[in-house]
Amino acid sequence: MAGGIGTGTGDDRPGAGSVARIEAGGLGLTGKLGVEAMDLVDAAARHTAALGIADVDTRHLLWAAAQHGPTRSLLARMGLDPDGVAEQAGEPSAVGEPLESALGLSPGCKRALLDSDRISRARGAESIGPEHLLIALAENRDSAAGR
């Protein structure tokens, strides 16, 4: 899937079941996302597509992080309520019909993905993990998820 991130892993988490594809356009992250980070991005894309929103944003990544096992546990260890985080990050309602076309990435989401790569490399990791995505979201106070 050159230039894109495919989703649809067949899991049973909220938003699972639909298939979405993210046009990652030149981010240079092909092969750098680990399996668990890809699962998190997949969940964010499915959630975004189900809401009828054309671009995955940082709040969609945060919503997925609050649903995803490893980052959900990390949020809880930080004293945060993962369900409360998901509720605050989630959209109040769908804005359109569910999308089946390729999704884009908001500028903030692109930055979070690129920052997660930088963070993973700084920590000597072989690939981007979901914890790197969560750290990248938290570091960017200008994004919807970082606030």
Side-chain angles (χ1 to χ4, degrees), residues 72-128:
R72 182 176 177 84
S73 298
L74 183 56
L75 288 167
R77 286 194 311 261
M78 294 168 53
L80 299 171
D81 172 25
D83 293 329
V85 170
E87 186 176 318
Q88 285 186 331
E91 299 293 328
S93 62
V95 298
E97 293 295 315
L99 299 176
E100 295 181 19
S101 59
L103 302 174
L105 295 171
S106 72
C109 189
K110 288 178 184 178
R111 178 176 173 185
L113 288 167
L114 291 171
D115 286 351
S116 68
D117 182 37
R118 174 187 50 78
I119 292 164
S120 71
R121 284 185 286 113
R123 294 195 153 121
E126 292 183 23
S127 62
I128 299 169

Side-chain angles (χ1 to χ4, degrees), residues 24-109:
L27 289 182
L29 297 178
T30 303
K32 292 185 179 182
L33 287 171
V35 173
E36 289 181 341
M38 182 64 81
D39 286 347
L40 191 154
V41 173
D42 287 349
R46 286 190 304 271
H47 177 65
T48 305
L51 293 171
I53 299 170
D55 290 329
V56 179
D57 193 13
T58 56
R59 65 180 172 228
H60 304 125
L61 287 176
L62 182 59
W63 178 89
Q67 306 293 324
H68 189 256
T71 46
R72 182 176 177 84
S73 298
L74 183 56
L75 288 167
R77 286 194 311 261
M78 294 168 53
L80 299 171
D81 172 25
D83 293 329
V85 170
E87 186 176 318
Q88 285 186 331
E91 299 293 328
S93 62
V95 298
E97 293 295 315
L99 299 176
E100 295 181 19
S101 59
L103 302 174
L105 295 171
S106 72
C109 189

